[in-house]
Amino acid sequence: MMPNIGVPGLIIILVIALIVFGPSKLPQLGRAVGQTLKEFKNSTKDIVDEVAEEFKMDDLNTEAKKKN
C-alpha cells in the first residue's frame, strides 16, 4: 500500500521539515507525532482485541448449537 521510504527519502523529509518548521519546533513536532502514533496504535489494538473477542464468542455459540 505505502512504498518503503528508505534512508535517502527519510533524510530529504527531515531536511524539508527542518526548513519548514525550524530547529526550535522540530522536537515538539516529533513528540506530537510520536504521541499520535502511540494513540493510534493503542486504538487499533483495542479494536482488534474486541473483534477477536467477538469471533471467539461467535465460535463458542456455534459449537454450543452444534452440540444441542
Side-chain angles (χ1 to χ4, degrees):
M1 190 165 131
M2 192 163 73
N4 294 335
I5 294 175
V7 176
L10 187 59
I11 292 172
I12 291 172
I13 290 171
L14 289 174
V15 168
I16 291 172
L18 185 62
I19 291 170
V20 171
F21 296 108
S24 62
K25 295 279 184 175
L26 218 47
Q28 294 172 350
L29 182 65
R31 275 192 292 276
V33 168
Q35 288 176 345
T36 301
L37 288 175
K38 182 180 176 182
E39 290 175 12
F40 180 75
K41 182 179 175 182
N42 288 339
S43 297
T44 9
K45 184 181 179 294
D46 290 342
I47 292 171
V48 168
D49 290 343
E50 287 178 19
V51 170
E53 185 66 31
E54 287 293 324
F55 277 119
K56 286 180 186 177
M57 295 293 288
D58 190 41
D59 288 343
L60 290 174
N61 288 340
T62 304
E63 289 177 14
K65 287 180 182 179
K66 285 182 181 178
K67 288 182 180 179
N68 291 332

